[in-house]
Amino acid sequence: MPRIRFESVEKCYGSVQVLPPFDLTFEDGEFTVLVGPSGCGKSTTLRMLAGLEDLTSGEIWFDDTPISHLEPKDRDIAMVFQDYALYPHMNIARNMSFALRLQKVPKKVIDEKVARVAEMLGIQDLLARKPGELSGGQRQRVAMGRALVRDAATFLFDEPLSNLDAKLRGKMRTELAEMRNSLDKNMVYVTHDQVEAMTLGDRIVVMANGLVQQEGSAEDLFKTPANRFVAGFIGSPTMNFLDADLVEADGRLFARGDGFDLALADDLARRLDKAARRRVIIGIRPSCFRPAGAEGAAGSTIDLGVKVSEYLGAQSILVTTCGARDLLVELESSSRVDRGKVMTFAVAPQDIMVFDNETEVRL
Amino acid sequence: MTSAGMKRMTPYMFLAPAAAIMAVGLLYPIGYMVYASFLDWNPSQLISEAEGVGLRNYASLLGDASFLESTAVTLKFSTIVVVTEMVVGVGLALLLDRNIRGVSVLRTIFILPMMIAPIVVGLMWRYMYHPSVGIFNQTLKGWGLEPVPWLSDADWALASIIIADIWQWTPFIFILALAALQSLPRSALEAARIDGASGWQQIVHIKLPLMMPVLVVTGLLRLIDSFKVLEVILVMTNGGPGLSTEILSLRIARTASEFRELGVAAAMSNYLLLILLALTVIMFVYNKVVDAREAAVRQAAEEA
Ligand SMILES: Nc1ncnc2c1ncn2[C@@H]1O[C@H](COP(=O)(O)OP(=O)(O)O)[C@@H](O)[C@H]1O
Ligand SMILES: [Mg+2]
């Protein structure tokens, strides 16, 4: 299986540049997830890798071989499309065996392979049906099966779960996560859903506006986001952002703003030394607020007025106000929180991220 | 009427006006024609004065060499033009279904022949086929070749009208095939490319099978139409030389106007109608059989 390398790959449609030149590497045997909001160029990236779109400039390498001039069929890839792209006039067995039949693989071998994959995906009873006679979830499996039968070196997935209902999506996500461990293949998986990205990816590439924002493991992205976009995109509910001034007092650094005055971690303060008294954006995840006085609560306190309380069982999501801004707070809830109440929370210094207010890079 | 009964009748009441127009506009003339085919009817007579002859018109036609010759010419003409037009039209559509510069202009040009009135097409081709001043023979002469008796030789005449018909009607197949092609699911074609299908394999395994329903209807329409072509041939050869290009519709027109036998003409029309009806029915039955066989295979597979 090849190591795939994008080298200053650029894509323009006419005069519109949708992907400025970028580099990207997919390591051998790795499950990489490309994640980003809709329209950021994920599908385009994947389709260029598949050979369905031409590159405007740059080159894609499989190990040491340039492949951008190769037809899709010569790249040894299998792909699962967002709309499944099954052949409507062929039954499921023939859909799955199409590639093998074109390769003139002996019929016995084809039948065995199709049967094995069908069994693995639990679609063995559907083989004689046409795609039009299947439910969305079944079609999704068939699309997956058609790719798996191929035994290609590289698998590409373009939002394969986005047309399923929430419950089925969760189930398929788990199955995929299991399957990915048993298959030693290059897999590139595109999604706009950060939960999918976090559960599936060995490595996650976050894209926005045609630019790669950050690459790394789920943990890297969550704990040390490179910039405000990644911090806001990864994690649910989303991170709260507040405008603040940096103020030094009693040898410590504080972020002060409308309705809050929060102490920052010392190592962060050392890093920011020269930049004291400047304006920044601070980010706090909803789960980082602890009711003041509760066990383990530490750091500066902040008073928040509860505007809306969404009770979800194990947690409650509170929409609160801090000055003129709304903040989300996630609480483990043993009891319901009444709206209108003002609560005091503690925020640990190491839970506060600081971003430059112009470049939005994390400091 | 009860309200349930009312509800059941509602759709029929909405259908009634259309059904009435159909009955008057379609069934009445056909009924009239069927009735007339049982008469010995001269155009100078009122239909009520005509004498009933039972099935004699039909029977005598079966022994009428000219009618049989006409039928044979029609079948030959229709088969050749429809097959050729389908192959060329679909082939062109497959070739031009791409986004390269100039293709849209080319598409427009291809459609032009269809827009010309049939009489004009006939006249145009007659001049082009003209033995001495026609462009074809001029060109042949220019190359130092023998002139061809385009419309004056029995074999050449049939070929000539076939060529003219192909020129005029291939665009019809072409635009319908192109529309069918462009409505194919794009991602299925991309999946086929990734699955390793060459251009030719995509055509054979994906494009043609998916276009088939449209192509079948297109072919049937063209076939029915080719049985009824009249003006172009009338202008070009008027059925000659001899009976070599006298297709059925021309024979019917001549029987009615020249031989003044309206009953016989009506009987011929009904034979033509029967042939077309048979073709349509065969097509339907074929589709049903294919569907049924697929369903049976599926049933068997799921029970096993
Ligand atoms: N064929 C095309 N022609 C012009 N613009 C396109 C085409 N395909 C995609 N785009 C544009 O490229 C950008 C990226 O699209 P895409 O890669 O599909 O995004 P994503 O898959 O991340 O949602 C979008 O702004 C889209 O409008
Ligand atoms: Mg997309």
Side-chain angles (χ1 to χ4, degrees), chain A residues 26-34 155 157 160 176-177 179-181 183 185-190 196-197 199-205 216:
Chain A
F26 302 102
E27 292 299 338
D28 183 8
E30 202 179 44
F31 195 116
T32 310
V33 177
L34 282 181
F155 283 85
F157 300 86
L176 258 176
M179 201 167 72
R180 131 205 129 146
N181 295 329
L183 296 169
K185 306 269 187 201
N186 283 345
M187 303 212 193
V188 182
Y189 187 104
V190 160
E196 245 167 61
T199 33
L200 291 174
D202 292 325
R203 200 167 58 99
I204 301 171
V205 178

PDB file of all heavy atoms in Angstrom, chain A residues 26-34 155 157 160 176-177 179-181 183 185-190 196-197 199-205 216:
ATOM      1  N   PHE A  26      -0.750  11.165   3.442  1.00  0.00           N
ATOM      2  CA  PHE A  26      -1.515  10.089   4.059  1.00  0.00           C
ATOM      3  C   PHE A  26      -0.569   8.913   4.230  1.00  0.00           C
ATOM      4  O   PHE A  26      -0.101   8.356   3.236  1.00  0.00           O
ATOM      5  CB  PHE A  26      -2.708   9.696   3.187  1.00  0.00           C
ATOM      6  CG  PHE A  26      -3.640  10.834   2.905  1.00  0.00           C
ATOM      7  CD1 PHE A  26      -3.618  11.475   1.682  1.00  0.00           C
ATOM      8  CD2 PHE A  26      -4.528  11.275   3.877  1.00  0.00           C
ATOM      9  CE1 PHE A  26      -4.474  12.526   1.421  1.00  0.00           C
ATOM     10  CE2 PHE A  26      -5.382  12.331   3.623  1.00  0.00           C
ATOM     11  CZ  PHE A  26      -5.350  12.961   2.392  1.00  0.00           C
ATOM     12  N   GLU A  27      -0.280   8.566   5.482  1.00  0.00           N
ATOM     13  CA  GLU A  27       0.694   7.503   5.719  1.00  0.00           C
ATOM     14  C   GLU A  27       0.093   6.153   5.361  1.00  0.00           C
ATOM     15  O   GLU A  27      -1.120   5.956   5.408  1.00  0.00           O
ATOM     16  CB  GLU A  27       1.130   7.501   7.184  1.00  0.00           C
ATOM     17  CG  GLU A  27       1.951   8.718   7.604  1.00  0.00           C
ATOM     18  CD  GLU A  27       3.252   8.850   6.829  1.00  0.00           C
ATOM     19  OE1 GLU A  27       3.734   7.832   6.285  1.00  0.00           O
ATOM     20  OE2 GLU A  27       3.777   9.978   6.751  1.00  0.00           O
ATOM     21  N   ASP A  28       0.966   5.241   5.060  1.00  0.00           N
ATOM     22  CA  ASP A  28       0.602   3.875   4.718  1.00  0.00           C
ATOM     23  C   ASP A  28      -0.186   3.222   5.855  1.00  0.00           C
ATOM     24  O   ASP A  28       0.215   3.267   7.009  1.00  0.00           O
ATOM     25  CB  ASP A  28       1.909   3.120   4.462  1.00  0.00           C
ATOM     26  CG  ASP A  28       1.653   1.706   4.023  1.00  0.00           C
ATOM     27  OD1 ASP A  28       0.484   1.372   3.776  1.00  0.00           O
ATOM     28  OD2 ASP A  28       2.622   0.959   3.921  1.00  0.00           O
ATOM     29  N   GLY A  29      -1.318   2.624   5.517  1.00  0.00           N
ATOM     30  CA  GLY A  29      -2.084   1.874   6.504  1.00  0.00           C
ATOM     31  C   GLY A  29      -2.811   2.725   7.526  1.00  0.00           C
ATOM     32  O   GLY A  29      -3.271   2.223   8.541  1.00  0.00           O
ATOM     33  N   GLU A  30      -2.932   4.001   7.247  1.00  0.00           N
ATOM     34  CA  GLU A  30      -3.529   4.894   8.225  1.00  0.00           C
ATOM     35  C   GLU A  30      -4.973   5.221   7.866  1.00  0.00           C
ATOM     36  O   GLU A  30      -5.323   5.265   6.700  1.00  0.00           O
ATOM     37  CB  GLU A  30      -2.717   6.188   8.235  1.00  0.00           C
ATOM     38  CG  GLU A  30      -2.854   6.991   9.493  1.00  0.00           C
ATOM     39  CD  GLU A  30      -1.987   8.232   9.392  1.00  0.00           C
ATOM     40  OE1 GLU A  30      -1.994   8.889   8.334  1.00  0.00           O
ATOM     41  OE2 GLU A  30      -1.315   8.546  10.367  1.00  0.00           O
ATOM     42  N   PHE A  31      -5.782   5.456   8.867  1.00  0.00           N
ATOM     43  CA  PHE A  31      -7.147   5.905   8.634  1.00  0.00           C
ATOM     44  C   PHE A  31      -7.163   7.413   8.871  1.00  0.00           C
ATOM     45  O   PHE A  31      -7.072   7.867  10.006  1.00  0.00           O
ATOM     46  CB  PHE A  31      -8.102   5.195   9.601  1.00  0.00           C
ATOM     47  CG  PHE A  31      -9.552   5.317   9.222  1.00  0.00           C
ATOM     48  CD1 PHE A  31     -10.292   4.211   8.872  1.00  0.00           C
ATOM     49  CD2 PHE A  31     -10.182   6.556   9.209  1.00  0.00           C
ATOM     50  CE1 PHE A  31     -11.637   4.318   8.523  1.00  0.00           C
ATOM     51  CE2 PHE A  31     -11.513   6.674   8.859  1.00  0.00           C
ATOM     52  CZ  PHE A  31     -12.244   5.555   8.512  1.00  0.00           C
ATOM     53  N   THR A  32      -7.246   8.166   7.785  1.00  0.00           N
ATOM     54  CA  THR A  32      -7.206   9.618   7.909  1.00  0.00           C
ATOM     55  C   THR A  32      -8.598  10.182   7.666  1.00  0.00           C
ATOM     56  O   THR A  32      -9.266   9.774   6.727  1.00  0.00           O
ATOM     57  CB  THR A  32      -6.259  10.235   6.862  1.00  0.00           C
ATOM     58  OG1 THR A  32      -5.025   9.543   6.927  1.00  0.00           O
ATOM     59  CG2 THR A  32      -6.045  11.700   7.130  1.00  0.00           C
ATOM     60  N   VAL A  33      -9.002  11.103   8.499  1.00  0.00           N
ATOM     61  CA  VAL A  33     -10.288  11.741   8.301  1.00  0.00           C
ATOM     62  C   VAL A  33     -10.070  13.191   7.896  1.00  0.00           C
ATOM     63  O   VAL A  33      -9.311  13.907   8.541  1.00  0.00           O
ATOM     64  CB  VAL A  33     -11.146  11.686   9.582  1.00  0.00           C
ATOM     65  CG1 VAL A  33     -12.454  12.425   9.358  1.00  0.00           C
ATOM     66  CG2 VAL A  33     -11.415  10.253   9.972  1.00  0.00           C
ATOM     67  N   LEU A  34     -10.694  13.575   6.790  1.00  0.00           N
ATOM     68  CA  LEU A  34     -10.710  14.983   6.393  1.00  0.00           C
ATOM     69  C   LEU A  34     -12.015  15.559   6.911  1.00  0.00           C
ATOM     70  O   LEU A  34     -13.083  15.109   6.520  1.00  0.00           O
ATOM     71  CB  LEU A  34     -10.715  15.119   4.876  1.00  0.00           C
ATOM     72  CG  LEU A  34      -9.440  14.935   4.096  1.00  0.00           C
ATOM     73  CD1 LEU A  34      -9.718  15.158   2.617  1.00  0.00           C
ATOM     74  CD2 LEU A  34      -8.406  15.911   4.578  1.00  0.00           C
ATOM     75  N   PHE A 155      -8.771   3.093   0.160  1.00  0.00           N
ATOM     76  CA  PHE A 155     -10.215   3.271   0.226  1.00  0.00           C
ATOM     77  C   PHE A 155     -10.546   4.721   0.468  1.00  0.00           C
ATOM     78  O   PHE A 155      -9.979   5.345   1.357  1.00  0.00           O
ATOM     79  CB  PHE A 155     -10.813   2.431   1.364  1.00  0.00           C
ATOM     80  CG  PHE A 155     -10.928   0.997   1.029  1.00  0.00           C
ATOM     81  CD1 PHE A 155      -9.855   0.153   1.214  1.00  0.00           C
ATOM     82  CD2 PHE A 155     -12.101   0.488   0.513  1.00  0.00           C
ATOM     83  CE1 PHE A 155      -9.956  -1.187   0.895  1.00  0.00           C
ATOM     84  CE2 PHE A 155     -12.209  -0.843   0.186  1.00  0.00           C
ATOM     85  CZ  PHE A 155     -11.131  -1.686   0.380  1.00  0.00           C
ATOM     86  N   PHE A 157     -13.722   7.401   1.241  1.00  0.00           N
ATOM     87  CA  PHE A 157     -15.124   7.510   1.670  1.00  0.00           C
ATOM     88  C   PHE A 157     -15.517   8.973   1.620  1.00  0.00           C
ATOM     89  O   PHE A 157     -14.877   9.803   2.264  1.00  0.00           O
ATOM     90  CB  PHE A 157     -15.297   7.033   3.112  1.00  0.00           C
ATOM     91  CG  PHE A 157     -14.895   5.611   3.352  1.00  0.00           C
ATOM     92  CD1 PHE A 157     -13.580   5.286   3.636  1.00  0.00           C
ATOM     93  CD2 PHE A 157     -15.835   4.599   3.320  1.00  0.00           C
ATOM     94  CE1 PHE A 157     -13.209   3.976   3.875  1.00  0.00           C
ATOM     95  CE2 PHE A 157     -15.472   3.287   3.567  1.00  0.00           C
ATOM     96  CZ  PHE A 157     -14.157   2.972   3.842  1.00  0.00           C
ATOM     97  N   PRO A 160     -19.925   8.979   3.821  1.00  0.00           N
ATOM     98  CA  PRO A 160     -20.766   7.808   3.547  1.00  0.00           C
ATOM     99  C   PRO A 160     -21.962   7.690   4.480  1.00  0.00           C
ATOM    100  O   PRO A 160     -22.913   7.007   4.163  1.00  0.00           O
ATOM    101  CB  PRO A 160     -19.809   6.631   3.746  1.00  0.00           C
ATOM    102  CG  PRO A 160     -18.773   7.140   4.672  1.00  0.00           C
ATOM    103  CD  PRO A 160     -18.617   8.601   4.387  1.00  0.00           C
ATOM    104  N   LEU A 176     -17.977   0.750  11.453  1.00  0.00           N
ATOM    105  CA  LEU A 176     -16.824   1.200  10.678  1.00  0.00           C
ATOM    106  C   LEU A 176     -15.583   1.219  11.551  1.00  0.00           C
ATOM    107  O   LEU A 176     -14.503   0.807  11.123  1.00  0.00           O
ATOM    108  CB  LEU A 176     -17.083   2.613  10.161  1.00  0.00           C
ATOM    109  CG  LEU A 176     -17.489   2.739   8.721  1.00  0.00           C
ATOM    110  CD1 LEU A 176     -17.800   4.189   8.405  1.00  0.00           C
ATOM    111  CD2 LEU A 176     -16.357   2.256   7.833  1.00  0.00           C
ATOM    112  N   ALA A 177     -15.744   1.717  12.777  1.00  0.00           N
ATOM    113  CA  ALA A 177     -14.604   1.792  13.678  1.00  0.00           C
ATOM    114  C   ALA A 177     -14.041   0.395  13.928  1.00  0.00           C
ATOM    115  O   ALA A 177     -12.822   0.207  13.984  1.00  0.00           O
ATOM    116  CB  ALA A 177     -15.008   2.451  14.985  1.00  0.00           C
ATOM    117  N   MET A 179     -14.427  -2.207  11.828  1.00  0.00           N
ATOM    118  CA  MET A 179     -13.934  -2.732  10.568  1.00  0.00           C
ATOM    119  C   MET A 179     -12.547  -2.179  10.229  1.00  0.00           C
ATOM    120  O   MET A 179     -11.690  -2.874   9.728  1.00  0.00           O
ATOM    121  CB  MET A 179     -14.915  -2.347   9.472  1.00  0.00           C
ATOM    122  CG  MET A 179     -14.826  -3.192   8.252  1.00  0.00           C
ATOM    123  SD  MET A 179     -16.271  -2.871   7.260  1.00  0.00           S
ATOM    124  CE  MET A 179     -15.932  -1.261   6.651  1.00  0.00           C
ATOM    125  N   ARG A 180     -12.368  -0.918  10.568  1.00  0.00           N
ATOM    126  CA  ARG A 180     -11.132  -0.255  10.167  1.00  0.00           C
ATOM    127  C   ARG A 180      -9.934  -0.915  10.839  1.00  0.00           C
ATOM    128  O   ARG A 180      -8.839  -0.937  10.297  1.00  0.00           O
ATOM    129  CB  ARG A 180     -11.272   1.211  10.527  1.00  0.00           C
ATOM    130  CG  ARG A 180     -10.130   1.764  11.257  1.00  0.00           C
ATOM    131  CD  ARG A 180     -10.519   2.920  12.074  1.00  0.00           C
ATOM    132  NE  ARG A 180      -9.996   2.618  13.388  1.00  0.00           N
ATOM    133  CZ  ARG A 180      -9.544   3.536  14.201  1.00  0.00           C
ATOM    134  NH1 ARG A 180      -9.618   4.793  13.880  1.00  0.00           N
ATOM    135  NH2 ARG A 180      -9.046   3.190  15.338  1.00  0.00           N
ATOM    136  N   ASN A 181     -10.127  -1.514  11.991  1.00  0.00           N
ATOM    137  CA  ASN A 181      -9.009  -2.179  12.655  1.00  0.00           C
ATOM    138  C   ASN A 181      -8.649  -3.491  11.982  1.00  0.00           C
ATOM    139  O   ASN A 181      -7.509  -3.917  12.014  1.00  0.00           O
ATOM    140  CB  ASN A 181      -9.351  -2.437  14.122  1.00  0.00           C
ATOM    141  CG  ASN A 181      -9.517  -1.135  14.869  1.00  0.00           C
ATOM    142  OD1 ASN A 181      -8.873  -0.145  14.524  1.00  0.00           O
ATOM    143  ND2 ASN A 181     -10.393  -1.120  15.849  1.00  0.00           N
ATOM    144  N   LEU A 183      -8.959  -4.108   8.782  1.00  0.00           N
ATOM    145  CA  LEU A 183      -8.472  -3.914   7.415  1.00  0.00           C
ATOM    146  C   LEU A 183      -7.193  -3.100   7.465  1.00  0.00           C
ATOM    147  O   LEU A 183      -7.182  -1.998   7.991  1.00  0.00           O
ATOM    148  CB  LEU A 183      -9.499  -3.155   6.580  1.00  0.00           C
ATOM    149  CG  LEU A 183     -10.833  -3.827   6.323  1.00  0.00           C
ATOM    150  CD1 LEU A 183     -11.794  -2.825   5.723  1.00  0.00           C
ATOM    151  CD2 LEU A 183     -10.650  -5.011   5.403  1.00  0.00           C
ATOM    152  N   LYS A 185      -5.461  -1.095   5.484  1.00  0.00           N
ATOM    153  CA  LYS A 185      -5.481  -0.374   4.204  1.00  0.00           C
ATOM    154  C   LYS A 185      -5.305   1.111   4.477  1.00  0.00           C
ATOM    155  O   LYS A 185      -5.576   1.578   5.575  1.00  0.00           O
ATOM    156  CB  LYS A 185      -6.853  -0.538   3.536  1.00  0.00           C
ATOM    157  CG  LYS A 185      -7.286  -1.950   3.358  1.00  0.00           C
ATOM    158  CD  LYS A 185      -6.842  -2.463   2.044  1.00  0.00           C
ATOM    159  CE  LYS A 185      -7.444  -3.842   1.817  1.00  0.00           C
ATOM    160  NZ  LYS A 185      -6.693  -4.582   0.831  1.00  0.00           N
ATOM    161  N   ASN A 186      -4.928   1.828   3.416  1.00  0.00           N
ATOM    162  CA  ASN A 186      -5.021   3.285   3.478  1.00  0.00           C
ATOM    163  C   ASN A 186      -6.486   3.651   3.387  1.00  0.00           C
ATOM    164  O   ASN A 186      -7.163   3.210   2.466  1.00  0.00           O
ATOM    165  CB  ASN A 186      -4.337   3.925   2.268  1.00  0.00           C
ATOM    166  CG  ASN A 186      -2.852   3.915   2.407  1.00  0.00           C
ATOM    167  OD1 ASN A 186      -2.331   3.695   3.501  1.00  0.00           O
ATOM    168  ND2 ASN A 186      -2.173   4.159   1.311  1.00  0.00           N
ATOM    169  N   MET A 187      -6.941   4.436   4.312  1.00  0.00           N
ATOM    170  CA  MET A 187      -8.318   4.891   4.179  1.00  0.00           C
ATOM    171  C   MET A 187      -8.354   6.391   4.355  1.00  0.00           C
ATOM    172  O   MET A 187      -7.754   6.939   5.277  1.00  0.00           O
ATOM    173  CB  MET A 187      -9.197   4.259   5.249  1.00  0.00           C
ATOM    174  CG  MET A 187      -9.158   2.757   5.213  1.00  0.00           C
ATOM    175  SD  MET A 187     -10.726   2.077   5.739  1.00  0.00           S
ATOM    176  CE  MET A 187     -10.247   0.406   5.975  1.00  0.00           C
ATOM    177  N   VAL A 188      -9.068   7.041   3.446  1.00  0.00           N
ATOM    178  CA  VAL A 188      -9.271   8.476   3.580  1.00  0.00           C
ATOM    179  C   VAL A 188     -10.774   8.691   3.659  1.00  0.00           C
ATOM    180  O   VAL A 188     -11.516   8.243   2.792  1.00  0.00           O
ATOM    181  CB  VAL A 188      -8.687   9.245   2.386  1.00  0.00           C
ATOM    182  CG1 VAL A 188      -8.871  10.737   2.594  1.00  0.00           C
ATOM    183  CG2 VAL A 188      -7.225   8.910   2.207  1.00  0.00           C
ATOM    184  N   TYR A 189     -11.180   9.332   4.722  1.00  0.00           N
ATOM    185  CA  TYR A 189     -12.594   9.421   5.039  1.00  0.00           C
ATOM    186  C   TYR A 189     -12.952  10.894   5.157  1.00  0.00           C
ATOM    187  O   TYR A 189     -12.329  11.631   5.918  1.00  0.00           O
ATOM    188  CB  TYR A 189     -12.818   8.701   6.367  1.00  0.00           C
ATOM    189  CG  TYR A 189     -14.241   8.542   6.806  1.00  0.00           C
ATOM    190  CD1 TYR A 189     -14.889   7.322   6.702  1.00  0.00           C
ATOM    191  CD2 TYR A 189     -14.941   9.603   7.353  1.00  0.00           C
ATOM    192  CE1 TYR A 189     -16.194   7.159   7.124  1.00  0.00           C
ATOM    193  CE2 TYR A 189     -16.252   9.454   7.768  1.00  0.00           C
ATOM    194  CZ  TYR A 189     -16.873   8.229   7.652  1.00  0.00           C
ATOM    195  OH  TYR A 189     -18.158   8.071   8.063  1.00  0.00           O
ATOM    196  N   VAL A 190     -13.940  11.329   4.381  1.00  0.00           N
ATOM    197  CA  VAL A 190     -14.337  12.733   4.403  1.00  0.00           C
ATOM    198  C   VAL A 190     -15.651  12.877   5.164  1.00  0.00           C
ATOM    199  O   VAL A 190     -16.572  12.085   4.962  1.00  0.00           O
ATOM    200  CB  VAL A 190     -14.514  13.251   2.964  1.00  0.00           C
ATOM    201  CG1 VAL A 190     -15.359  14.497   2.936  1.00  0.00           C
ATOM    202  CG2 VAL A 190     -13.165  13.510   2.333  1.00  0.00           C
ATOM    203  N   GLU A 196     -17.897  11.997  14.045  1.00  0.00           N
ATOM    204  CA  GLU A 196     -17.404  10.918  13.190  1.00  0.00           C
ATOM    205  C   GLU A 196     -15.884  10.982  13.090  1.00  0.00           C
ATOM    206  O   GLU A 196     -15.195   9.976  13.192  1.00  0.00           O
ATOM    207  CB  GLU A 196     -17.994  11.080  11.782  1.00  0.00           C
ATOM    208  CG  GLU A 196     -18.922   9.973  11.363  1.00  0.00           C
ATOM    209  CD  GLU A 196     -19.694  10.362  10.110  1.00  0.00           C
ATOM    210  OE1 GLU A 196     -19.050  10.612   9.080  1.00  0.00           O
ATOM    211  OE2 GLU A 196     -20.927  10.454  10.183  1.00  0.00           O
ATOM    212  N   ALA A 197     -15.392  12.181  12.873  1.00  0.00           N
ATOM    213  CA  ALA A 197     -13.949  12.357  12.724  1.00  0.00           C
ATOM    214  C   ALA A 197     -13.229  11.885  13.982  1.00  0.00           C
ATOM    215  O   ALA A 197     -12.238  11.153  13.910  1.00  0.00           O
ATOM    216  CB  ALA A 197     -13.626  13.819  12.443  1.00  0.00           C
ATOM    217  N   THR A 199     -14.233   9.780  16.345  1.00  0.00           N
ATOM    218  CA  THR A 199     -14.310   8.353  16.646  1.00  0.00           C
ATOM    219  C   THR A 199     -13.520   7.508  15.660  1.00  0.00           C
ATOM    220  O   THR A 199     -13.036   6.451  16.027  1.00  0.00           O
ATOM    221  CB  THR A 199     -15.764   7.829  16.634  1.00  0.00           C
ATOM    222  OG1 THR A 199     -16.495   8.563  15.671  1.00  0.00           O
ATOM    223  CG2 THR A 199     -16.409   7.979  17.975  1.00  0.00           C
ATOM    224  N   LEU A 200     -13.405   7.942  14.418  1.00  0.00           N
ATOM    225  CA  LEU A 200     -12.836   7.062  13.404  1.00  0.00           C
ATOM    226  C   LEU A 200     -11.363   7.295  13.119  1.00  0.00           C
ATOM    227  O   LEU A 200     -10.634   6.363  12.825  1.00  0.00           O
ATOM    228  CB  LEU A 200     -13.616   7.202  12.086  1.00  0.00           C
ATOM    229  CG  LEU A 200     -15.040   6.661  12.110  1.00  0.00           C
ATOM    230  CD1 LEU A 200     -15.743   6.999  10.818  1.00  0.00           C
ATOM    231  CD2 LEU A 200     -15.029   5.166  12.329  1.00  0.00           C
ATOM    232  N   GLY A 201     -10.926   8.537  13.166  1.00  0.00           N
ATOM    233  CA  GLY A 201      -9.621   8.855  12.589  1.00  0.00           C
ATOM    234  C   GLY A 201      -8.442   8.488  13.460  1.00  0.00           C
ATOM    235  O   GLY A 201      -8.420   8.788  14.643  1.00  0.00           O
ATOM    236  N   ASP A 202      -7.430   7.795  12.850  1.00  0.00           N
ATOM    237  CA  ASP A 202      -6.125   7.738  13.499  1.00  0.00           C
ATOM    238  C   ASP A 202      -5.574   9.152  13.505  1.00  0.00           C
ATOM    239  O   ASP A 202      -4.969   9.607  14.449  1.00  0.00           O
ATOM    240  CB  ASP A 202      -5.151   6.883  12.679  1.00  0.00           C
ATOM    241  CG  ASP A 202      -5.561   5.422  12.685  1.00  0.00           C
ATOM    242  OD1 ASP A 202      -6.073   4.978  13.710  1.00  0.00           O
ATOM    243  OD2 ASP A 202      -5.371   4.758  11.652  1.00  0.00           O
ATOM    244  N   ARG A 203      -5.793   9.786  12.354  1.00  0.00           N
ATOM    245  CA  ARG A 203      -5.291  11.128  12.198  1.00  0.00           C
ATOM    246  C   ARG A 203      -6.406  11.950  11.571  1.00  0.00           C
ATOM    247  O   ARG A 203      -7.115  11.471  10.689  1.00  0.00           O
ATOM    248  CB  ARG A 203      -4.084  11.145  11.271  1.00  0.00           C
ATOM    249  CG  ARG A 203      -3.208  12.366  11.420  1.00  0.00           C
ATOM    250  CD  ARG A 203      -1.908  12.114  10.711  1.00  0.00           C
ATOM    251  NE  ARG A 203      -2.179  11.825   9.312  1.00  0.00           N
ATOM    252  CZ  ARG A 203      -2.068  12.746   8.353  1.00  0.00           C
ATOM    253  NH1 ARG A 203      -1.682  13.946   8.615  1.00  0.00           N
ATOM    254  NH2 ARG A 203      -2.354  12.430   7.108  1.00  0.00           N
ATOM    255  N   ILE A 204      -6.561  13.169  12.044  1.00  0.00           N
ATOM    256  CA  ILE A 204      -7.631  14.015  11.549  1.00  0.00           C
ATOM    257  C   ILE A 204      -7.023  15.248  10.900  1.00  0.00           C
ATOM    258  O   ILE A 204      -6.103  15.844  11.450  1.00  0.00           O
ATOM    259  CB  ILE A 204      -8.564  14.434  12.704  1.00  0.00           C
ATOM    260  CG1 ILE A 204      -9.165  13.181  13.360  1.00  0.00           C
ATOM    261  CG2 ILE A 204      -9.664  15.350  12.220  1.00  0.00           C
ATOM    262  CD1 ILE A 204      -9.907  13.472  14.628  1.00  0.00           C
ATOM    263  N   VAL A 205      -7.526  15.574   9.727  1.00  0.00           N
ATOM    264  CA  VAL A 205      -7.082  16.788   9.046  1.00  0.00           C
ATOM    265  C   VAL A 205      -8.272  17.740   9.029  1.00  0.00           C
ATOM    266  O   VAL A 205      -9.308  17.415   8.457  1.00  0.00           O
ATOM    267  CB  VAL A 205      -6.638  16.487   7.607  1.00  0.00           C
ATOM    268  CG1 VAL A 205      -6.233  17.769   6.891  1.00  0.00           C
ATOM    269  CG2 VAL A 205      -5.502  15.482   7.606  1.00  0.00           C
ATOM    270  N   GLY A 216      -3.705  16.054  13.128  1.00  0.00           N
ATOM    271  CA  GLY A 216      -3.275  15.428  14.371  1.00  0.00           C
ATOM    272  C   GLY A 216      -4.279  14.414  14.850  1.00  0.00           C
ATOM    273  O   GLY A 216      -5.286  14.159  14.188  1.00  0.00           O
TER     274      GLY A 216
END
